[in-house]
Amino acid sequence: MSNNKKHVLFIGAGRMAQALIKGLDKNEFAILVGNNGNEQRLRDIKETFDVEITTHWSQEIHKMDIIILALPPESHEVILAKLSETISGQLVITVAAGIDPTYLESRLPKGTPVAWVMPNTAAMLGKSMTLYTLGQHVSQELQEWIEELICGIGEFEKVTEQQIHELTAVTSSAPAFIYRVAEALEKITIESGVSKVQARKLVANMIAGSAEMLKTNVAPAELADAVATPGGSTAAGLEVLDTNHLDHLMIDAIEACRQKAMLQE
Ligand SMILES: NC(=O)C1=CN([C@@H]2O[C@H](COP(=O)(O)OP(=O)(O)OC[C@H]3O[C@@H](n4cnc5c(N)ncnc54)[C@H](OP(=O)(O)O)[C@@H]3O)[C@@H](O)[C@H]2O)C=CC1
Ligand SMILES: O=C(O)[C@@H]1CCC=N1
């Protein structure tokens, strides 16, 4: 069984690597994890996820089928140069904001299959909305490997390189915007005298229910209309949001993420 497993090396062992490792099918993938020298973190990962760890990842490349770069965008340049010395046709995947297949291909040996996968932290619950796109040298079989990798962490969509540049802010960064909204609502809820646990239950289930409603494909405006009873209380709150241009605030926040991701390349 283990001989048929695909060997995956994670370079980077932080939040995103751990979220992905949690979702991967350990019957399909043999996982090895390396990082930038934080050995305690590697030991914790070994214990938590029952995977192999290495402090010398560059010596393991020849045994690997897939290499996943789960490290900061600005660390890619040096890591790709190091990888190029030993790599021989392995699939290289990055999850970094701003690091597209064109960037990877230009820094790896000619013909190296590469992909860009953009998950979010809900990967750790198998609930990521993940985007992916392929480089020029990815076969049908390798595309299937990529989909096998990411199906364990939630839903996915294949899009273009340009679309990942533009949509990383929406599918990977905007969860943080939702958490900010939740934080504000939790604070308000606690002020009504309920416990923190109750506040979390109220707010989390309200957001989860709203997300389920969105999945029915009814337009968000229509869903909001259905909440706002004519002349009722919700309309008064919506008017505050509209008058203060929540939509403009969202556009500005998304644009700030996009600009920063471009600078990190
Ligand atoms: N967090 C998120 O929601 C998302 C993150 N991403 C992308 O994932 C990537 C990682 O982010 P995240 O997990 O949040 O970051 P973390 O800071 O949690 O983890 C970064 C990891 O990269 C390792 N690392 C840094 N530099 C090097 C290097 N030169 N060589 C080897 N390993 C290195 C660190 O090593 P050490 O353990 O030794 O410190 C650490 O394990 C980023 O590129 C980000 O754009 C993409 C989508 C969503
Ligand atoms: O904040 C970041 O840079 C990463 C990329 C998208 C989500 N987190």
Side-chain angles (χ1 to χ4, degrees):
M1 180 71 168
S2 69
N3 283 344
N4 295 328
K5 287 185 183 180
K6 293 170 224 25
H7 291 262
V8 183
L9 170 67
F10 278 84
I11 308 179
R15 291 158 302 179
M16 192 36 64
Q18 292 180 44
L20 288 167
I21 290 166
K22 179 138 196 269
L24 289 191
D25 183 349
K26 312 296 184 293
N27 293 316
E28 290 290 331
F29 300 100
I31 299 166
L32 178 67
V33 187
N35 63 353
N36 198 28
N38 183 339
E39 293 189 24
Q40 184 57 49
R41 183 180 261 167
L42 288 184
R43 284 194 290 273
D44 290 346
I45 286 181
K46 183 178 171 63
E47 195 177 315
T48 308
F49 302 106
D50 193 22
V51 294
E52 298 300 317
I53 55 175
T54 178
T55 49
H56 295 93
W57 59 261
S58 58
Q59 293 169 14
E60 308 290 336
I61 300 299
H62 64 286
K63 300 179 201 156
M64 297 297 131
D65 301 302
I66 303 170
I67 296 151
I68 300 183
L69 306 176
L71 41 87
E74 60 275 15
S75 302
H76 276 59
E77 190 83 53
V78 65
I79 294 298
L80 291 170
K82 200 168 168 187
L83 258 184
S84 294
E85 293 167 9
T86 44
I87 201 163
S88 53
Q90 289 89 342
L91 171 64
V92 177
I93 299 173
T94 185
V95 300
I99 304 293
D100 58 32
T102 305
Y103 180 104
L104 296 176
E105 283 170 352
S106 68
R107 287 158 176 84
L108 287 166
K110 207 169 174 354
T112 303
V114 303
W116 191 15
V117 166
M118 189 50 59
N120 65 40
T121 50
M124 68 179 67
L125 301 178
K127 296 283 184 188
S128 174
M129 180 61 244
T130 301
L131 304 175
Y132 83 95
T133 195
L134 307 174
Q136 300 174 61
H137 310 293
V138 177
S139 63
Q140 183 60 36
E141 188 191 8
L142 290 186
Q143 180 172 349
E144 283 165 17
W145 286 15
I146 293 165
E147 293 197 354
E148 261 177 62
L149 271 166
I150 58 181
C151 75
I153 58 168
E155 300 281 337
F156 58 82
E157 274 301 314
K158 182 168 181 263
V159 295
T160 66
E161 185 168 306
Q162 183 57 27
Q163 284 168 331
I164 299 195
H165 277 296
E166 292 172 9
L167 299 177
T168 294
V170 176
T171 53
S172 295
S173 295
F177 304 172
I178 303 294
Y179 300 136
R180 276 283 197 276
V181 170
E183 189 182 1
L185 290 176
E186 271 191 28
K187 272 189 197 149
I188 295 163
T189 305
I190 287 166
E191 282 166 15
S192 293
V194 298
S195 69
K196 276 189 179 177
V197 173
Q198 285 175 310
R200 171 61 54 88
K201 180 178 176 183
L202 266 54
V203 172
N205 282 298
M206 180 278 292
I207 292 174
S210 307
E212 290 300 319
M213 292 293 275
L214 285 167
K215 287 196 208 169
T216 64
N217 283 332
V218 177
E222 203 178 314
L223 292 171
D225 275 354
V227 181
T229 309
S233 58
T234 308
L238 284 176
E239 197 180 330
V240 173
L241 295 183
D242 293 344
T243 307
N244 287 284
H245 301 290
L246 177 68
D247 53 345
H248 291 180
L249 196 60
M250 209 49 71
I251 290 167
D252 288 351
I254 292 290
E255 192 51 34
C257 291
R258 288 175 175 167
Q259 293 296 332
K260 178 68 179 171
M262 280 196 301
L263 287 178
Q264 289 183 120
E265 284 178 41

